[in-house]
Structure formats: structure tokens, C-alpha cells
Amino acid sequence: MACRDMEKAQVAMKEIIKGSGNENVICMELDLSDSKSIREFAEAVNRDEAKLNILINNAGVMVCPYGKTADGFEMQIGVNHMGHFLLTYLLIDLIKRSTPARIINVSSMAHAWGSINLEDINSEKRYDKRAAYGQSKLANVLFTRSLAKRLEGTGVTVYSLHPGVVQTDLWRHLSGPEQFVMKIVSPFTKSSIQGAQTTIYCAVEPTLETESGGYYSDCAPASCSAAASDDNMAQKLWELSCQMLSISWD
């Protein structure tokens, strides 16, 4: 378990151990808004773990007020995309040595509202919190496509998904009227357990062993937007991400 808030993480860890009967659960601190934290976490995993069969990139910030990460990225693109991109890069050799292995990037149907602004990825000229969220979720799907192509033939497969509209703290930045609307539609939303099912499906479903690079919803293949299928943009985003993170990943 890689968690930003260690106090909440300890509570969750105890629940998991109690519910599963598995004592072998490890909790480590990871703040995806800070590359120093990401590098320290990855260094510890690479040092202490012999295998990494499944990586689930699940951290998320949604429609928050404008802010920047420790590395100067707009918060939503910084946490939702750049943080996961760097973490995956730092763990990829261990994952390749652990085949068969899978990487799951939790996106959202909100990717369809987004576009990638290569000229102003950090929304410094103009900030629209919903557009920035859509951009970050679109980046998740494009990253999945690019990574799947690079990992062809390695035994590592990659998936992106929409978990559904899930009742979590992700809604905390919504305005009063928006929160009122969410309360009205809440009977039609998913609990956190229901919301985790497509992630679990992508992580362990045997029939997906030969599939890679796809987008899923409700435990089944789903259609993504035309922008999310743009391999030219996916490559440009990959190059920009490497440049901004000061890494080389061909």
C-alpha cells in the first residue's frame, strides 16, 4: 500500500488484514505530488521487494483550486499523470523481471471532456479546474497506449479504466451546488467496493493476459474518446513528460 496520509493508511491496513486474514500487508508513504517522495518510495521497493507483479496507479486529485506540486506542475496533471509516469518509470525494471505482470492506470470517463494542451500543460495561462481534470484523465489513457506499445513482447501488459462514479473523498473540491447534485444522484453511484471492481478485473482477469493498451469500464472493454486514441498526441505527451521530469525513457 502506497499512501500519502499514513494515519488513514494504518486504519485501512488494519481493516485489510482483519478482512483478508493476510498479515503480509505493508504500508509505505508516497506523495505523488513530490518527485523526492516518489524516488524514495521506488528506491525502497526496488531494494526490498523481489517481485512486483501488479502496479495499480490509483491516486487522484479532482477539480481542485489552482495549485502546484513540489516540482512546479499544476496539481491535477502533476499528481494524476506526472506522478504515476515517474513512479512507473522507476519501477519498470522490477516489473519486467516479475512477468507475467500488469500495470493498471485508473482514468475516468472525464477523459472524454479533456484535451492535451502541450503549450500550457500546467494551465498557467488559463485555469479551468474541470478542463485540467479532463486533461489529466486523458493523459492516463494516452500513457497506457504508449506504454503498452513499448512493452510489447515483454510479458508486461497495461490497462486503463473508468471505475464509475464512486462515493469517495475525491468529491471534496466540488462546489456547494455540485455537491447537492451529487447527493441527488448518489443512489445511482457506486460504493468504493463496487468502484474497485473494474480495477480488480484488469489486475487479475485471466482472459486479459493477451490484451494490452485497452480501456475498460464495468469489467468489460469500453470505447474511449477519439482524442484518447491519438497515437501521435500520445507520443508528444510521452516526450513532454520525460522532458519535464528530466528522465530518458525510450
Side-chain angles (χ1 to χ4, degrees):
M1 294 170 57
C3 304
R4 181 172 57 90
D5 186 327
M6 291 303 285
E7 201 174 310
K8 287 183 180 177
Q10 293 297 330
V11 173
M13 185 173 75
K14 284 173 186 170
E15 283 179 16
I16 290 167
I17 291 170
K18 185 180 177 185
S20 67
N22 177 18
E23 296 277 338
N24 189 22
V25 181
I26 297 169
C27 187
M28 294 167 62
E29 189 170 355
L30 172 63
D31 183 350
L32 280 158
S33 70
D34 186 346
S35 64
K36 184 172 179 284
S37 173
I38 298 168
R39 289 182 179 278
E40 287 172 356
F41 171 84
E43 187 180 344
V45 172
N46 283 319
R47 182 187 64 232
D48 299 338
E49 301 296 332
K51 280 189 171 186
L52 179 53
N53 298 101
I54 301 168
L55 172 64
I56 298 175
N57 288 320
N58 186 49
V61 184
M62 177 179 165
V63 297
C64 56
Y66 190 80
K68 288 195 170 180
T69 68
D71 302 281
F73 306 135
E74 183 274 316
M75 190 61 71
Q76 296 186 86
I77 196 73
V79 171
N80 299 354
H81 170 63
M82 296 292 181
H84 290 132
F85 190 97
L86 179 60
L87 178 65
T88 307
Y89 165 77
L90 294 169
L91 295 175
I92 198 66
D93 289 338
L94 177 60
I95 295 169
K96 284 179 179 176
R97 293 196 301 271
S98 309
T99 54
R102 299 187 186 190
I103 299 167
I104 293 92
N105 296 317
V106 179
S107 179
S108 165
M109 64 184 290
H111 82 269
W113 317 333
S115 60
I116 304 293
N117 187 346
L118 295 170
E119 306 305 316
D120 187 26
I121 198 89
N122 287 318
S123 307
E124 289 172 325
K125 293 174 184 169
R126 180 178 175 274
Y127 183 63
D128 178 315
K129 60 186 180 180
R130 287 170 198 77
Y133 180 65
Q135 173 178 249
S136 72
K137 295 288 100 182
L138 175 57
N140 294 151
V141 185
L142 292 173
F143 173 43
T144 300
R145 289 179 70 88
S146 289
L147 187 58
K149 288 189 172 184
R150 285 166 169 81
L151 292 173
E152 274 178 16
T154 64
V156 182
T157 48
V158 196
Y159 314 85
S160 64
L161 64 103
H162 168 56
V165 181
V166 186
Q167 299 165 29
T168 69
D169 282 348
L170 203 57
W171 297 1
R172 65 189 178 275
H173 294 300
L174 294 180
S175 66
E178 287 167 336
Q179 294 204 3
F180 176 72
V181 170
M182 292 313 291
K183 278 183 183 168
I184 293 172
V185 302
S186 63
F188 308 101
T189 60
K190 294 182 178 183
S191 68
S192 55
I193 291 172
Q194 292 168 329
Q197 295 311 303
T198 304
T199 300
I200 296 167
Y201 172 81
C202 289
V204 300
E205 170 58 39
T207 60
L208 295 187
E209 270 179 19
T210 55
E211 303 293 324
S212 190
Y215 175 76
Y216 297 79
S217 180
D218 288 325
C219 298
S223 297
C224 58
S225 68
S229 305
D230 186 340
D231 288 327
N232 183 42
M233 178 57 79
Q235 177 59 25
K236 287 178 179 176
L237 176 65
W238 185 283
E239 290 168 2
L240 180 63
S241 302
C242 287
Q243 179 190 328
M244 294 178 72
L245 290 163
S246 301
I247 59 175
S248 177
W249 190 5
D250 296 325

